[in-house]
Every structure is written in structure tokens, then in C-alpha cells.
Amino acid sequence: MDEKFEKTTVGEKVAEFVTSFRSILLTVVVVVVVVLGVYGTVAAVSASNSEKGLENIDSISYVMTKDSASLSDEELKGRADTALAALSAYVSKSGIVGVRSNMLAAEIYYSQKDYEKAASAWKKAAEKGKKSYTAPLAYFNAAVAYEEAGNTDEAENAYRQVVAHKDFDQIAHAKFSLGHVLEEKGSKDEAVAVYTELYNSVPEDSWAKLAKSRLLVLEENE
């Protein structure tokens, strides 16, 4: 009898608890639903903005290059400058829009032989898409531009960023270029280490064979 009374009492207490806090539970459910709804709306708006941004960047590129073969150098420069001005609204944005706009700006700067600005734009593209497949490519192009600008310190840093991406399909090229930059800087021992690692890892690769040839030259010059 006592056991039955105890069970009944517990059941009643649970019922009272649920009744007492039903309004709170309902409020929590409503809040969760609202939050999920807001998140969905924000995500949809963000996706829409990204899509619109990419469309605008594609439009900028199209206007700049349309019938460009028949234009004079002055006209081409005018179009490039107009494109860069239009891209200024997107290069500070995050995500894919920031990546694409900086990549296009970098290409324009590089074509104008403004290598420092090209490198800076490539670097921004890499940083804005750190987890994207475009990051090592952007760092690689930044390194090349820095080399053109004679900035070997930044070129080295960018190449090191590239080789950190083990799955980059041009990693052998990047390693050889890193070794070359180290040579230019007078860091012979580091260059030898990079060339040796490259050759030992993929001896049949064309860049590895070039690395081997540089090792032989460096050994002869000792």
C-alpha cells in the first residue's frame, strides 16, 4: 500500500512539474523555432548576396574583356582601371566573393606589371579562402608576383604557405621555386635541404630532376 501511494505521489509530482513549467517549455520551443527560422533566413540572404556578388564580378570581367582584341593599349588600361574601381566594392568582403574579386584584381595588377599589388591581392584571396582549394594556388601566384617584384622574403613566405598544402597538385613546382628563392637569398644550406627533400620524395618528377641538377651545381661550387 505504501509503495502504491509512493508511486502515485511521484507521478503526481511529475505531472505538477510538467504543468508548472509547460509555459516555459513552450517558450523554449518557440525560441528554438524562431532562432532556426532566423538562421535559415540569414543563410538564404547570405547565399543570395554571394550569388549576386559573383554575378557582378563576372559582369565586371566580361565588360573589361569584351572585344578587347581590337582595343588600343590606352583603351585596355582604361577598362582595367574601371574594373579595379568596380572591384573595390567586393575585395574587402569575406567568403567566395572576396576570393574571386581579389583574384580578378590580382590578374589585372599582374598584367599591368604592378607586381606588389598583384601579390597583395593574391595573398588576400588566399587568406579569405583558407579552407578552399584556391588557397595554395593563390599563395603560389602571390609568390611568383613577389619574385617579379624582387621581394624574396615575401616570396619565400608565400612558397612556404604553398608547400604546407600537401595535396596541392603543383607542390613539386612550389618546392623547387622555394629552393630557388632560398638560393637567391644566399641561404644555401636551406636550399640544399629543400632540393634534397624534393628529389628524394618524387625522383621522377621533372621539377625534382631540376632540383637534382641544382644540387650538383651547388656541390661543384663548394
Side-chain angles (χ1 to χ4, degrees):
M1 188 70 175
D2 290 340
E3 183 181 355
K4 182 177 180 182
F5 177 77
E6 184 179 345
K7 288 182 178 178
T8 302
T9 302
V10 172
E12 289 174 350
K13 287 182 178 180
V14 172
E16 289 175 2
F17 175 83
V18 173
T19 301
S20 299
F21 288 91
R22 182 174 294 164
S23 59
I24 296 176
L25 292 171
L26 288 173
T27 301
V28 170
V29 171
V30 170
V31 169
V32 170
V33 170
V34 170
V35 169
L36 289 175
V38 170
Y39 175 79
T41 301
V42 170
V45 171
S46 178
S48 176
N49 288 340
S50 293
E51 185 176 349
K52 185 175 181 180
L54 291 175
E55 287 176 356
N56 290 340
I57 293 167
D58 286 341
S59 178
I60 292 169
S61 178
Y62 175 77
V63 171
M64 180 181 68
T65 58
K66 184 176 183 295
D67 300 325
S68 58
S70 60
L71 300 179
S72 66
D73 289 345
E74 185 177 347
E75 289 171 324
L76 288 172
K77 186 179 184 308
R79 283 199 183 184
D81 290 342
T82 298
L84 288 171
L87 287 170
S88 64
Y90 303 98
V91 291
S92 62
K93 294 187 178 298
S94 60
I96 186 62
V97 172
V99 172
R100 285 279 299 278
S101 57
N102 276 287
M103 289 175 75
L104 180 55
E107 290 174 5
I108 296 171
Y109 284 130
Y110 195 89
S111 69
Q112 295 179 335
K113 300 186 184 332
D114 194 338
Y115 299 122
E116 282 286 355
K117 285 186 178 179
S120 178
W122 279 119
K123 189 175 178 180
K124 286 180 183 176
E127 291 170 346
K128 290 177 180 293
K130 286 181 179 179
K131 297 182 180 179
S132 170
Y133 71 95
T134 60
L137 174 62
Y139 276 124
F140 186 91
N141 287 336
V144 171
Y146 278 128
E147 278 197 271
E148 290 287 354
N151 192 337
T152 53
D153 287 337
E154 287 297 336
E156 178 190 347
N157 291 336
Y159 280 130
R160 289 191 184 282
Q161 290 284 354
V162 179
V163 300
H165 291 77
K166 306 299 184 184
D167 56 347
F168 182 49
D169 61 358
Q170 294 296 317
I171 192 167
H173 187 177
K175 286 181 178 180
F176 177 84
S177 296
L178 173 59
H180 175 69
V181 167
L182 289 168
E183 273 196 78
E184 287 190 331
K185 292 180 64 178
S187 302
K188 180 181 175 181
D189 290 343
E190 289 185 87
V192 167
V194 171
Y195 288 146
T196 301
E197 189 278 330
L198 171 56
Y199 182 74
N200 289 340
S201 61
V202 284
E204 297 305 314
D205 186 273
S206 59
W207 291 105
K209 291 176 181 178
L210 283 175
K212 181 64 174 179
S213 69
R214 291 307 306 159
L215 285 170
L216 294 173
V217 170
L218 291 172
E219 287 174 6
E220 289 176 0
N221 293 336
E222 284 185 349

